[in-house]
Amino acid sequence: MPTDPSEPDSDAPIFVVLNVGSGSDDANATRATIERVLSEAGREHELTVVDEPARLHDIARNVVGRARARGGIVVAAGGDGTINAVAQAVLGSGCAFGVLPQGTFNYFSRTHGLPATTEEGTRLLLTAEAQPVQVGLVNDRVFLVNASLGLYPKLLEDREAYKQQYGRSRLVALWSGVMTLLRGHRRLRLHLEQDGDLQACELRTSTLFIGNNRLQLEQIGIREAPLLEQGRLAAIALRPVGRLEMLWLLLRGAFGQLGDADKVSSFPFARITVQPALRGRAGRRIKVATDGEIAWLTTPLVFRVAPQPLWLLKPEPQ
């Protein structure tokens, strides 16, 4: 039976969803480490391996159902996309949530001080207490790190193609971003209503980026980063610019100075509604990225803070 996720039983069974497609570590070694640490501790556990990404969401829902029936803890082992898919199933289930990061950037785990190695992370699951973590929603889709439309989803798609060809690394990710910007991009005309305010505005931008991760926003120099701890999300929009100026903005972001650029606007919010500015375009499907995963969502898009938190097993704050 489900328990209070803020106080998981110290003997609660642990249900791990391991995506073998995330990261560069050997999947067999990762699995062996998880099972060894939990077995040595005498902790009951179940490990489900996902080798078909298309089945990840269905598998996560099934695992959460089994964990909920037994008052268990659900753990995502993978990159930000895997963590997102499992968190989507966990949110509101009454289960505590654990993470074993296996991806390239691991913004979510780094923000919350989770160990980078599988062995240390698995040992933490045995002793950590669950603490509330803010969740972002676009319509009903979860995002823990960011959500975006326009140019940024295109950057992600191209980055994945480069990774499949050249391997997973931050250098490959940066190079793919440069090549995408040099090919040009289309601009969006969006209609925005913020926090229920009927005085809406129109926005012309190449990309609209919604941040829910303090570490990522601080790294690129967005001033609203601390407000994420006050129940807000941060919106970032790039005004229309040419290719060379876009590359300059990319460099500013790499050096933590994007928020000071004239062509960048940002603001905090609890809820905004976004749709194409042209009349009669409600109900249109638009490409949206959430934590690196691409989906087609129907407008209007409602970005908001989820009413309930995710109960994450994490170290006590220093």
Side-chain angles (χ1 to χ4, degrees), residues 91-294:
L91 186 66
S93 69
C95 295
F97 183 54
V99 168
L100 299 174
Q102 307 289 315
T104 303
F105 291 96
N106 297 320
Y107 278 118
F108 181 76
S109 62
R110 290 161 58 201
T111 293
H112 296 289
L114 302 181
T117 69
T118 301
E119 178 149 356
E120 291 179 351
T122 307
R123 293 191 186 282
L124 177 67
L125 299 175
L126 300 170
T127 59
E129 295 184 1
Q131 301 174 45
V133 170
Q134 175 173 291
V135 175
L137 294 175
V138 49
N139 294 355
D140 292 322
R141 191 177 179 93
V142 162
F143 62 96
L144 303 177
V145 180
N146 60 60
S148 58
L149 57 150
L151 176 61
Y152 194 72
K154 176 61 176 171
L155 286 168
L156 295 174
E157 288 182 322
D158 291 349
R159 186 180 75 185
E160 191 60 31
Y162 270 77
K163 284 182 177 180
Q164 290 178 4
Q165 186 173 359
Y166 300 109
R168 292 181 177 272
S169 74
R170 298 187 185 188
L171 182 59
V172 170
L174 178 61
W175 178 249
S176 70
V178 171
M179 297 305 294
T180 300
L181 296 180
L182 288 176
R183 286 196 292 269
H185 48 275
R186 61 188 294 262
R187 296 167 183 174
L188 303 173
R189 288 185 59 195
L190 302 174
H191 180 87
L192 275 70
E193 295 179 7
Q194 181 178 353
D195 296 331
D197 187 352
L198 297 180
Q199 294 183 347
C201 66
E202 290 195 3
L203 175 70
R204 291 183 61 88
T205 182
S206 57
T207 191
L208 178 64
F209 181 96
I210 309 298
N212 186 35
N213 183 274
R214 178 167 181 166
L215 174 62
Q216 186 180 51
L217 296 183
E218 286 178 340
Q219 283 188 343
I220 61 177
I222 300 301
R223 292 183 295 271
E224 288 79 4
L227 299 180
L228 298 182
E229 297 175 358
Q230 301 176 24
R232 293 290 186 268
L233 301 170
I236 304 163
L238 306 184
R239 297 170 190 164
V241 296
R243 298 179 188 180
L244 292 180
E245 195 165 6
M246 183 65 77
L247 287 174
W248 174 239
L249 291 176
L250 179 65
L251 287 174
R252 290 189 67 115
F255 287 98
Q257 300 175 353
L258 186 63
D260 296 328
D262 293 337
K263 297 295 185 178
V264 175
S265 60
S266 59
F267 59 89
F269 69 92
R271 177 189 179 99
I272 58 171
T273 301
V274 179
Q275 59 185 329
L278 298 178
R279 292 184 178 181
R281 302 305 292 271
R284 174 187 175 189
R285 287 167 59 81
I286 190 168
K287 188 182 294 184
V288 178
T290 52
D291 296 344
E293 302 298 310
I294 308 296

Side-chain angles (χ1 to χ4, degrees), residues 29-80:
T30 299
R31 178 175 183 173
T33 299
I34 295 170
E35 293 186 326
R36 174 177 54 80
V37 172
L38 296 180
S39 296
E40 288 177 351
R43 191 67 168 267
E44 184 181 356
H45 62 278
E46 175 185 311
L47 194 150
T48 301
V49 174
V50 181
D51 54 11
E52 298 180 29
R55 299 183 58 225
L56 177 57
H57 287 273
D58 289 338
I59 291 174
R61 284 193 294 268
N62 290 334
V63 170
V64 170
R66 295 197 297 274
R68 187 174 186 272
R70 301 187 57 196
I73 295 167
V74 180
V75 176
D80 284 333

